[in-house]
Amino acid sequence: MQVESKNSTVMTLTGLLGDFRLLVILFISFRLMLLMVYQPIVTDGVERGIGAGGDRQYHYALSALTDDGFYPFRDWWSEFPPVWYFLTTTVYQLQGENINYGGWSMAIGLILLAFDTGNLILMRRIGTRLYGANTGITLAWIYAISIAPMIFLWWNFENMVAFFLLLGLYWLLAKQEDRSAVAVAIGALTKFTPALLFGAVFRFRDWKVTVRFVAIAAGLFMLVYLPLFAQNAEMTLPSLTAQFGKASYQTVWALIDGNTRTGNFGTVESHFDPTTADDLQGNPPVIPSFIRLGIATAIGLFVFLRTRRFDDRGLVAFMTITLLIFFLQAQGWSPQWLAQIVPLVLLAFPTKNGVLITVVLSMVVFTEYPVLFIRTGDTGGEIVGPMVMPFAVLVIVRTLILVGLCVALYQKLRQEPIPSLN
């Protein structure tokens, strides 16, 4: 059988790595085949498939409330802004009477795969704009084989958040500020972190552009929330406040407070009572939240005033340090935040050291969860006994890595600006 014609071209390393269409095909097909082999399935009430260890089953249980006519923001409260549960409940209802967890989870995974493919494309485009075509395609390859973003396709919806963050950043770099503001608004309606782009706009754009940017983003955000508050303010308010009212978890602040649990909310049934959104699942804070926020604000203002690099690379570095400072001051830590951290760190540090730091950070995070926390079934999800010490070490090491990245980013922002390649 002839498998090679005399006109065919043998693949070379340069040709392989430079072919972005091939990368997209490999990126999508690898994730699709993983989904085919490790299909989401629930056995004895526990996810045993590709989503094992994630939050997808919890999100399914909330979406299933629509079977009885109970919808988010009207009949039950959500700990997230509206985009996510509007999506999950819509997919649930569209699948009709034959709905089951496996089919729903696969449909959600395919939607998130589309967003993550967008992340791959944006990594190449932003990388090309900052460093040239060779580095752009290289960053795309590195992102494609990074484990953290792939895992969160099946665990959570952080890839969607990362997409709107990167899209807003890309359009901001391209000086399409109106489009960027729209992306920020949709991102903030998914999770709040894309709104941190406001800081970069304030620092890198003049006041007229900034006012217009904020007006568009804030206007769209309020346009969505106003009818939700008009419909049921009690069930809508927790989507803006619940995340900030949690007890500390998986941070140095949690170690100080003596909290050794994750940051999950209560049962599905508790979502019918909006007062439960304020229930403290752990010890109260030793260091008040306003002190943490005040310290972070002071550090952020220091960076803001000391920034001297106003090129595109400086803008990316500024956005990255803003995100990391926000995560460091937060009372909790979520492993899925890696889906936002990894692409920004790679874009800010497109070097071997930049790649290695994302690998080390991911290794530390996944050792903490799920490796340690998966062993807490007998203690109700609480780290106790001999596991407390390795847990504390992992939290401190992860925190030091993030602080070290902030220092490196600050140093980058203090360098003389380098003109964009475009």
Side-chain angles (χ1 to χ4, degrees):
M1 181 177 66
Q2 184 176 3
V3 296
E4 181 181 338
S5 70
K6 60 183 179 181
N7 293 323
S8 63
T9 302
V10 177
M11 178 66 73
T12 63
L13 181 61
T14 302
L16 170 67
L17 297 181
D19 191 336
F20 185 65
R21 287 177 298 180
L22 179 60
L23 173 57
V24 172
I25 292 171
L26 292 173
F27 181 87
I28 295 174
S29 61
F30 178 66
R31 285 151 179 78
L32 283 178
M33 284 186 278
L34 268 181
L35 184 60
M36 293 164 64
V37 174
Y38 299 102
Q39 295 183 32
I41 186 171
V42 173
T43 305
D44 298 327
V46 179
E47 160 77 77
R48 304 292 185 185
I50 197 167
D55 298 328
R56 196 61 55 79
Q57 192 177 352
Y58 167 74
H59 298 153
Y60 176 79
L62 284 169
S63 300
L65 295 175
T66 58
D67 280 338
D68 298 316
F70 300 123
Y71 287 86
F73 297 89
R74 189 191 73 181
D75 305 300
W76 50 270
W77 61 268
S78 163
E79 63 267 45
F80 303 116
V83 166
W84 175 241
Y85 281 125
F86 280 4
L87 173 64
T88 63
T89 54
T90 299
V91 171
Y92 185 93
Q93 288 296 308
L94 287 175
Q95 292 191 311
E97 296 180 357
N98 297 322
I99 182 67
N100 59 73
Y101 173 75
W104 174 88
S105 183
M106 291 180 73
I108 292 294
L110 292 176
I111 293 171
L112 291 176
L113 175 57
F115 280 103
D116 205 33
T117 303
N119 291 335
L120 179 73
I121 294 169
L122 288 167
M123 285 294 292
R124 185 203 181 197
R125 289 190 175 182
I126 296 173
T128 298
R129 182 177 184 87
L130 296 177
Y131 308 105
N134 286 339
T135 302
I137 189 69
T138 302
L139 286 172
W141 273 99
I142 294 169
Y143 181 81
I145 60 176
S146 294
I147 190 67
M150 183 182 67
I151 287 175
F152 296 118
L153 276 177
W154 325 115
W155 277 18
N156 209 283
F157 59 100
E158 210 73 14
N159 305 72
M160 185 191 301
V161 183
F163 172 78
F164 288 114
L165 177 62
L166 290 174
L167 183 62
L169 179 62
Y170 172 71
W171 274 332
L172 189 59
L173 291 169
K175 294 182 171 55
Q176 298 182 45
E177 286 85 3
D178 289 357
R179 292 184 179 184
S180 178
V182 173
V184 166
I186 300 173
L189 288 166
T190 309
K191 268 192 176 181
F192 297 128
T193 47
L196 294 173
L197 267 170
F198 282 154
V201 175
F202 273 95
R203 194 68 187 96
F204 287 79
R205 296 293 184 264
D206 62 44
W207 70 270
K208 290 183 180 179
V209 172
T210 300
V211 169
R212 181 179 175 85
F213 188 100
V214 173
I216 292 173
L220 289 174
F221 188 87
M222 289 188 290
L223 190 64
V224 172
Y225 259 97
L226 283 175
L228 296 178
F229 270 99
Q231 174 186 251
N232 192 330
E234 260 195 320
M235 293 298 181
T236 299
L237 184 60
S239 67
L240 298 174
T241 61
Q243 296 292 345
F244 304 103
K246 288 181 178 180
S248 57
Y249 58 98
Q250 296 178 252
T251 60
V252 290
W253 316 111
L255 296 179
I256 294 171
D257 298 339
N259 292 323
T260 56
R261 293 178 179 272
T262 61
N264 292 332
F265 283 93
T267 63
V268 171
E269 289 73 21
S270 69
H271 282 254
F272 288 107
D273 181 2
T275 63
T276 61
D278 298 323
D279 289 348
L280 204 63
Q281 305 287 329
N283 300 320
V286 173
I287 300 175
S289 58
F290 70 86
I291 293 180
R292 294 197 324 267
L293 184 60
I295 294 172
T297 302
I299 294 172
L301 184 60
F302 177 80
V303 173
F304 186 94
L305 295 175
R306 298 274 292 172
T307 294
R308 65 165 65 168
R309 185 170 188 171
F310 295 102
D311 59 350
D312 286 350
R313 298 184 190 182
L315 194 155
V316 171
F318 189 90
M319 178 59 218
T320 307
I321 197 173
T322 302
L323 184 75
L324 294 183
I325 290 173
F326 176 79
F327 285 157
L328 284 167
Q329 68 80 36
Q331 83 276 25
W333 162 265
S334 295
Q336 60 262 27
W337 291 347
L338 282 175
Q340 297 179 66
I341 293 173
V342 167
L344 286 181
V345 169
L346 290 175
L347 288 169
F349 301 106
T351 63
K352 181 176 71 174
N353 288 339
V355 175
L356 290 177
I357 200 66
T358 64
V359 172
V360 172
L361 179 61
S362 299
M363 185 71 72
V364 170
V365 169
F366 288 129
T367 302
E368 178 186 351
Y369 185 93
V371 173
L372 279 187
F373 273 100
I374 205 172
R375 289 161 171 77
T376 61
D378 296 335
T379 61
E382 186 174 2
I383 298 287
V384 297
M387 291 198 299
V388 171
M389 181 57 71
F391 170 70
V393 169
L394 288 168
V395 169
I396 292 170
V397 169
R398 185 229 306 143
T399 302
L400 290 175
I401 291 173
L402 296 179
V403 170
L405 281 170
C406 287
V407 172
L409 288 162
Y410 173 71
Q411 292 173 341
K412 184 181 286 286
L413 288 169
R414 291 292 294 165
Q415 295 172 357
E416 292 299 323
I418 299 175
S420 172
L421 293 177
N422 293 333

